[in-house]
Structures are given as structure tokens and as C-alpha cells.
Amino acid sequence: MELQQFHYDNKIVKNFLYATIIWGVVGMSVGLLLAFMFIFPSVTDGISWLSFGRLRPLHTNAVIFAFVGNAIFAGVYYSTQRLLKARMFSDALSKVNFWGWQLIIVAAAITLPLGFTSSKEYAELEWPIDIMIAVVWVVFGWNLIGTILKRRQRHLYVAIWFYLATFVTVAVLHIFNSLALPVNLFKSYSAYAGVQDALVQWWYGHNAVAFFLTTPFLGLMYYFVPKAANRPVYSYKLSIIHFWSLIFIYIWAGPHHLLYTALPDWAQNLGVTFSIMLLMPSWGGMINGLLTLRGAWDKVRTDPVLKFFVVAITGYGMATFEGPMLSLKNVNAIAHFTDWIIAHVHVGALAWNGFLTFGMIYWLIPRLFKTRLFSVGLANVHFWLGTLGIVMYALPMYVAGFLQASMWKQFNPDGSLVYGNFLETVTEIMPMYWMRAIGGSLYIIGTFVMIYNVIRTAKSGSKVEDELAEAAALSRGGKRKRGEKFHTWLERKPIQLTILATIAILIGGIVQIIPTLLVKSNIPTISTVKPYTPLELEGRDLYIREGCVGCHSQMVRPFRSEVERYGEYAKAGEFVYDRPFLWGSKRTGPDLLRVGGKYSDNWHFNHMYDPQSTSSGSIMPSYQWLIKSELDKSSTEDKMQTMADLGVPYSDEEIENAQASMLAQGTEVQNNLYNDPDFVKAYEADKAYAEENNLDFVEMKNREIVALIAYLQRLGTDIKIKSNEEATSSN
């Protein structure tokens, strides 16, 4: 049979590897800064774009989509060409994929610190960037599928199955979760509200972990681990079971992020059931990966690449054991909203994604530059620094989580909370935050050791060039042969395989989401719940802009300890006008669902200006720019009209009178502030300073802080909760 000569495109792999390293340092550095902000909350005081709430989504997006995303592309572009015996379908598409993805990352790095955010976890970017992501992702899929169709290798290896499932599922997740109605270029409102928005978001959020941080990396594991160990995959049959069971089951598990919330019980229970089932395929994949090293364990002692791979697969096994365990309701009742979840997430991120990426980099760089790794010793140093960093990061966070859960739930004999002040918990876990910062520092130091090693390796090698290869053209023949097993036939049918994978991932989403969107009984309405006033709507958008949801939840679960601490548990009907929902996933500060009317307007003002003045021991940073900045009311009518288009019952008259309504409510808050003589003195001093320096003076009623106070004072006041005395008398 005549052999055809062609060249593998190594330059695109090199570009993605460089981007992986650069963005990895950026994402980890921002994460380290955030870790130190827990210890030194005023480290960026007064700089709005460096505040914790704005940097947190930058960290998660940089690590997930910039660091891990570029690593996925590097590994997929390298392995796909060799597995299919073909150059990538289009060099132009490869370049669009690369530069388009970097442009998206830069856009995220600019917009998130400026406060342009949808606040939906792992999907914070606003609608123009969401469209860019969809376009670039389609370009990637086009290139991948085009390469598969022009391949010279008949059977598709297991890694390709995972790449195809990743492409299809991420596209579906991203598009449906990002559906929104734009207000302007930088602002949009979610197409879903309240409970429905929460379900769609965590259908996306959980499966972003599944199909962006897991399935593509499993494909990379199936390619690079056998290559590094020079051993075949342990079990072909297990890989088949692993693939199909994983992609089918994973998509159902999202609701386990919403246990004991206002989500309907049937949806919660479905999430729990499939989460428990998920343990089996996940561990099947881990076992397949580790047993691939059979007969090669002697190499693990000396080969840093295999060291990284072993810890990565072990980290995957730990995280995928802990995930189903955390979905058990009795465990979730303890762990959710605590630092236990932070530990769980970072075991997966730092070990599974980080270490598999590092191992892949150490394996690829010498081959691309046609040389030997500069220093095996430094690679081992990196391994031990990273491993120690993971341990020192995760273990203290587990301890912190257990301590938080214990302290939040303890009662005195008289029925009162032992630790009624939320800050008592914060004070106790500060040593654990110190240890986390040290662990994170070790991890990033190890990364810098790798960068030095990579640079020296690249300099010692030759320029990266396209690699000559040859293979016979693929003879077409499609019918299933007699005696041929179905899956063997399917492996040479990429279109059919992709269609079946798509059906497998759509079933779970359809069963969970469609009834929640269409069946009204899932979200019982409450007659007293009304839309936000124009000023409250603006205040809510400020709350979103500043990332307050990253530290405060708005979801009181039906536990005695939470009802005692925060007030009546949450009802589904309370959130029907919340676009997006703001239930949160971590309590660094107390829940705010019932904060309305709990404190005076002046308390909220002082709390934002100097949190320590109202809450001794608080690690919340100050938000002084809210007090100084004028509220932008130019888009209020457009915001209300967009909400009305989405079904919020704003009348034309309410929209037309928005400015007058804001002025009246703002004046009311201003008058409440004036009741404090000390506040009036400070306000008059501010006014005098502006006059002396020829500055425009903004009246307090027109400042951002007033809108935020209006929103906070509204929270939880829509439903009438009977006191014990009222309940007794009515009986």
C-alpha cells in the first residue's frame, strides 16, 4: 500500500503550551493574592478593580479557561494529529482558535476587574464575550471534526471519544446557560429567574467541571500516560464502560450543588442519585489510568513526568470519591457554604488539572525542541514543592470547613446559639488561612521552577518545526462486518459516535430542566413578592458588580441553626424576579437573605466605609468608592424595560417614572442617614472640601451607596413571617 507523506503541525502546540504557562502564572498569582486578602483584607484598599469581589472571578476564569483551556488545546492538537495520522484540518482554523482564545482571555482580564459580570459561577463574562467563546469553540470543533474526517487511521482511539464529547457538551452547556437579554454592550439579564436560573447555572457549573476540567483531561490521560510509561492502556473494555457511563451520568448531577435550597425536592433527589452512581465510572477511569503503569512503577521513582501523572490520577480519584460523598444530604448539610468545598475543588484543580498539565509540559517540550529536559532534578524539585503545596493548601481548608460547620450548628441548653456572632467562626479559622497562603506560595514557586527549566530546555534545543510523518491513505468501507462488535464498528464511525454521545448528554438536561421551566407547580408564587424598585434594581446591580455573592449567600436552608441565626428559611417564590439568582456557594460572611430592616441605614453606610467599625474582627475589605461615586442612572429605564421583556411586571408608567422614584427613595435613605449627627458632620465636611477644591459635589441621595443600602434593606422583607406570639394567638 502506498504511503503518503505529510507534516504534523507542532508550532500550534508550542503556542498553546506557551500560553498555558503564561496564563497559569497569571491565574495562580491572582489566586495567591486572594488568599492573602483573607489575612490582610485592606491590602488593596481603595482600588476598586483590585477588590476581592472583582478579582475572584478573574482567578477562577484565568485558571479554568486560560491555564487549563490552553493546556487542553495543546494536548488535543498534539495527540489528535498522531492518533489520526493527519495534520490538523486547517492551519487557518488552528490560528483562529489560538488567537481567538487569547483575545477572549484578555477581554475577561479587562472586564471582570472593571465589574462587568453576570455573577454566574464559571460563566461570569458578559454577553459579547460569551458570543466570542461560542464562535471560537465552534472553530475548534470544526477543526477537530474536519481532522477526524480526513484521518488515515480507521479506528478512533478512546482519547478522541473524550475530545468529541467535550466539544459537543461544552457547546450545549455554554449556549443554554448564557442565554440572556442585553441591556447594553456591558450589561445583560439572564433569560432564567430564581430557582430556574439556579438549576440551569449548576447544570452548567457542575458540568463545566465535568466536561472542561475532566473529560478532555481523561482523553489526555489516555494518550500521554501510556506514552510516558511506554505501556498500553490497561483495559480497552474498561475504557468503553468508563466513557459512556461517565458522559451519561455526569450531566444529571448538577442539582447536588443545591441541596436543601428552594429547588424542588425531586430535582435535588435526582442529583443525589446520579452523583452516587458517578463514583463507579470515575473510579473506573482512575483504575484504568493507574493500572496502565503496571510493570513501569520502577520508572516512577526516577521519571518526574510519571510522578506528576501518578499524583494527578490519584487527585482525580480523591476528588471523584469526595464529590459523590458531598452529594449525600447529611454530608452536604455540613459541608456546603464552608471551606471544605474550597479544599475539595482545589484537590481536583491543583492535583488533577495542574499536575497532569505539568507532566504533559515536561513530556512535550523536549520532544518539540528535539532535545533532553534541561534538569530532571529541577523537575523533581517542582514535583515536591507542588505536592507539599497541595497538602498545605487542602488540609487546613478541610479543618476550617469542619470547624465552621461545627461552630455554626452548636446550641446552648436554653436554645440559643453558642456562637451567635458569625465573626467568632472567622477568628477561629485565621491560622488555616495562613497555612493556605503558604501552601499556595509553595505551589506557585514550583511553577516558576518549571518555567526556568522549560526556558533552558528550549534554548538548548532546535527551533520547533513541523514534523514529517507518513501513513497509508484510509480506504473507505463502512458497513458493519459479520461478527464485528457494535462498538468496534462505532469506533470507525465518528458521526454516529458523536450523535450517540450528544443524545447521552442531552437526556439528563432535558429531564431536569424542561419540567422546572414549564411546570409552574415547581415554583409556587407568593402574592406579596413584588419586583424591585428602580433604585433597588440599581443597588442589586452594584451588589453584582462588586462580587458580593462570592462571600455572602442569599439562601437560608431549613435547618434549626440557620433559621435561628438568619431568619425564616427560603421559599422558591421569593426569587421569581431575581435575574440572575444570587444564592451563593460560600459563606465568608453571614447570609443576607433576611438582612432587610435588621440594621439601620447608617450601619450599612459605616459597614461599607469601614467594616471593622461595625464588625470587630471582620475580614471584609472597605468599599469607599461606593460612597464617593455618583450612581449612573442613565440606563435604569432600559434595565427595567429589559426586565419587563423577560416577564417582570413593570408597567409603562413605572418605567417612565423611574427617575422620580429613585429620587424619592434616595432622599428617604439620605434623610435616614441625616438622623445621625456624626454622619451630618462628615457629610458637611465632604461638601466643604468639594467647594474649596472646585469639585463637583454629588448629593448623598445620588450616590452609589444609597442604591446599595436600598437593595440590602429590601432583602427578605417581601414575605410576612409570623412571630411565635402571632402563631399562638391565631391558633
Side-chain angles (χ1 to χ4, degrees):
M1 189 176 289
E2 185 180 349
L3 297 180
Q4 297 178 346
Q5 288 194 336
F6 56 96
H7 289 83
Y8 294 135
D9 184 359
N10 283 342
K11 293 174 185 175
I12 190 67
V13 179
K14 178 198 70 176
N15 291 344
F16 275 119
L17 280 178
Y18 283 173
T20 300
I21 294 168
I22 292 167
W23 291 120
V25 170
V26 172
M28 293 174 203
S29 298
V30 175
L32 188 60
L33 174 60
L34 294 173
F36 277 105
M37 282 182 171
F38 280 80
I39 307 163
F40 306 107
S42 59
V43 68
T44 59
D45 242 7
I47 309 173
S48 61
W49 53 277
L50 286 180
S51 63
F52 180 90
R54 298 197 193 181
L55 287 182
R56 182 183 178 273
L58 176 62
H59 164 60
T60 55
N61 278 268
V63 170
I64 295 172
F65 299 109
F67 172 59
V68 173
N70 277 296
I72 290 168
F73 291 131
V76 169
Y77 273 88
Y78 183 87
S79 61
T80 295
Q81 296 182 82
R82 286 151 181 84
L83 289 170
L84 301 178
K85 298 291 188 292
R87 187 180 180 88
M88 292 307 297
F89 174 69
S90 167
D91 288 2
L93 291 178
S94 297
K95 290 174 182 175
V96 171
N97 185 182
F98 176 76
W99 290 110
W101 199 254
Q102 310 320 309
L103 181 62
I104 289 165
I105 295 165
V106 171
I110 294 170
T111 57
L112 289 173
L114 292 177
F116 301 122
T117 174
S118 70
S119 86
K120 299 178 80 168
E121 200 145 0
Y122 314 141
E124 291 90 350
L125 302 176
E126 268 296 352
W127 68 272
I129 308 177
D130 280 337
I131 293 173
M132 289 170 61
I133 292 170
V135 170
V136 174
W137 193 254
V138 168
V139 166
F140 162 63
W142 181 4
N143 211 6
L144 176 67
I145 293 170
T147 309
I148 292 172
L149 294 179
K150 74 166 195 177
R151 70 194 187 281
R152 294 179 179 86
Q153 174 66 40
R154 181 177 299 283
H155 281 82
L156 301 179
Y157 179 63
V158 57
I160 303 295
W161 315 344
F162 279 103
Y163 300 160
L164 282 170
T166 296
F167 164 67
V168 170
T169 312
V170 170
V172 171
L173 292 169
H174 173 72
I175 290 168
F176 280 95
N177 185 53
S178 300
L179 291 177
L181 202 56
V183 176
N184 52 45
L185 188 62
F186 302 109
K187 181 66 182 174
S188 63
Y189 289 119
S190 174
Y192 318 101
V195 170
Q196 296 162 339
D197 193 40
L199 178 62
V200 174
Q201 158 57 28
W202 281 113
W203 171 73
Y204 164 87
H206 180 78
N207 292 301
V209 173
F211 288 90
F212 201 85
L213 299 178
T214 304
T215 55
F217 267 67
L218 287 168
L220 298 179
M221 177 194 80
Y222 274 116
Y223 180 81
F224 286 102
V225 171
K227 284 286 186 183
N230 197 25
R231 293 286 188 278
V233 168
Y234 170 68
S235 172
Y236 165 74
K237 287 184 179 179
L238 186 55
S239 68
I240 295 173
I241 297 169
H242 176 210
F243 172 74
W244 289 106
S245 57
L246 191 81
I247 68 168
F248 175 74
I249 295 172
Y250 232 132
I251 209 80
W252 295 76
H256 77 219
H257 291 263
L258 300 169
L259 301 183
Y260 292 110
T261 67
L263 189 73
D265 282 344
W266 67 264
Q268 294 184 38
N269 293 335
L270 266 181
V272 172
T273 302
F274 280 89
S275 297
I276 300 303
M277 292 165 61
L278 193 57
L279 177 63
M280 292 175 281
S282 297
W283 270 46
M286 178 196 69
I287 291 167
N288 217 5
L290 288 178
L291 290 184
T292 298
L293 297 171
R294 70 201 186 287
W297 284 100
D298 57 315
K299 294 182 182 179
V300 176
R301 291 185 292 108
T302 56
D303 187 347
V305 171
L306 289 178
K307 281 190 177 77
F308 278 108
F309 286 164
V310 167
V311 172
I313 297 168
T314 305
Y316 170 67
M318 291 172 62
T320 53
F321 170 78
E322 191 178 16
M325 182 178 71
L326 286 169
S327 72
L328 295 170
K329 283 195 167 184
N330 54 347
V331 178
N332 186 276
I334 299 168
H336 196 55
F337 291 132
T338 75
D339 282 308
W340 182 345
I341 306 303
I342 307 301
H344 166 63
V345 167
H346 282 79
V347 166
L350 298 176
W352 170 233
N353 296 117
F355 268 33
L356 196 75
T357 298
F358 295 148
M360 187 177 74
I361 289 171
Y362 281 121
W363 192 86
L364 280 174
I365 289 292
R367 284 164 176 78
L368 292 177
F369 287 91
K370 297 182 177 65
T371 185
R372 297 173 65 85
L373 184 65
F374 169 70
S375 173
V376 172
L378 284 178
N380 281 314
V381 169
H382 176 200
F383 170 79
W384 289 112
L385 281 170
T387 302
L388 185 59
I390 294 169
V391 172
M392 289 196 67
Y393 187 111
L395 286 182
M397 288 296 95
Y398 282 119
V399 174
F402 301 152
L403 196 58
Q404 286 168 315
S406 173
M407 293 180 73
W408 291 347
K409 291 179 177 292
Q410 288 187 39
F411 282 89
N412 290 309
D414 65 357
S416 62
L417 291 165
V418 174
Y419 302 102
N421 185 346
F422 188 93
L423 284 168
E424 291 177 288
T425 312
V426 176
T427 304
E428 285 296 319
I429 61 178
M430 289 308 293
M432 276 66 90
Y433 286 154
W434 267 106
M435 292 181 71
R436 171 174 66 176
I438 293 169
S441 299
L442 289 173
Y443 194 88
I444 199 170
I445 289 170
T447 305
F448 280 111
V449 171
M450 180 193 72
I451 291 171
Y452 174 75
N453 211 354
V454 166
I455 292 172
R456 293 297 301 269
T457 302
K459 285 184 175 180
S460 70
S462 57
K463 185 180 178 181
V464 174
E465 299 287 355
D466 289 349
E467 182 181 334
L468 179 65
E470 60 180 18
L474 183 65
S475 59
R476 303 296 172 183
K479 289 188 178 179
R480 189 173 170 188
K481 299 170 187 175
R482 179 175 293 183
E484 184 180 28
K485 292 183 178 178
F486 172 75
H487 206 276
T488 305
W489 170 81
L490 189 64
E491 287 165 31
R492 51 189 175 89
K493 292 293 182 181
I495 302 301
Q496 289 89 331
L497 190 148
T498 304
I499 291 171
L500 286 176
T502 304
I503 293 170
I505 63 99
L506 286 177
I507 293 171
I510 290 170
V511 170
Q512 289 178 336
I513 292 173
I514 289 181
T516 310
L517 294 179
L518 299 182
V519 181
K520 291 185 178 181
S521 61
N522 282 307
I523 308 346
T525 55
I526 300 173
S527 61
T528 55
V529 174
K530 305 298 181 186
Y532 296 104
T533 66
L535 190 66
E536 291 161 0
L537 182 65
E538 289 288 359
R540 190 172 197 269
D541 284 344
L542 291 173
Y543 184 96
I544 290 169
R545 184 189 77 184
E546 300 305 334
C548 303
V549 69
C551 291
H552 295 280
S553 59
Q554 290 184 26
M555 175 50 60
V556 182
R557 298 176 296 176
F559 302 144
R560 178 188 169 205
S561 58
E562 294 201 12
V563 171
E564 183 69 25
R565 185 182 300 275
Y566 302 120
E568 182 71 6
Y569 67 88
K571 313 292 193 297
E574 293 185 71
F575 307 101
V576 292
Y577 302 125
D578 285 7
R579 298 173 184 267
F581 84 113
L582 295 173
W583 295 358
S585 56
K586 168 78 161 59
R587 284 177 181 155
T588 303
D591 188 275
L592 299 181
L593 181 61
R594 308 286 178 219
V595 76
K598 190 174 182 180
Y599 304 103
S600 68
D601 290 352
N602 193 50
W603 185 94
H604 284 294
F605 183 96
N606 290 330
H607 184 61
M608 300 304 291
Y609 184 80
D610 178 15
Q612 290 276 350
S613 68
T614 58
S615 310
S616 180
S618 172
I619 59 173
M620 174 178 157
S622 66
Y623 289 84
Q624 297 182 8
W625 56 88
L626 292 171
I627 288 146
K628 298 173 184 176
S629 301
E630 182 177 5
L631 177 65
D632 181 2
K633 301 178 181 179
S634 62
S635 300
T636 306
E637 290 86 353
D638 291 337
K639 290 179 177 181
M640 294 177 71
Q641 185 59 58
T642 303
M643 283 289 202
D645 292 341
L646 287 167
V648 178
Y650 286 124
S651 66
D652 291 341
E653 184 180 2
E654 286 174 311
I655 296 173
E656 289 171 8
N657 295 329
Q659 298 295 326
S661 170
M662 284 191 287
L663 184 63
Q665 191 173 7
T667 301
E668 184 181 343
V669 175
Q670 177 180 273
N671 292 338
N672 291 339
L673 294 173
Y674 278 176
N675 289 333
D676 187 325
D678 290 334
F679 174 83
V680 175
K681 290 177 186 176
Y683 181 71
E684 293 300 331
D686 189 14
K687 187 175 183 179
Y689 177 83
E691 291 172 352
E692 288 172 12
N693 292 276
N694 296 316
L695 300 174
D696 290 332
F697 181 72
V698 181
E699 286 195 81
M700 187 57 62
K701 61 190 174 188
N702 293 321
R703 298 192 191 185
E704 289 183 337
I705 185 65
V706 168
L708 183 61
I709 289 172
Y711 170 64
L712 292 172
Q713 293 290 36
R714 169 67 181 274
L715 288 176
T717 60
D718 278 358
I719 62 171
K720 171 67 174 170
I721 307 299
K722 289 185 178 182
S723 66
N724 290 334
E725 292 80 5
E726 288 175 323
T728 303
S729 61
S730 65
N731 289 335

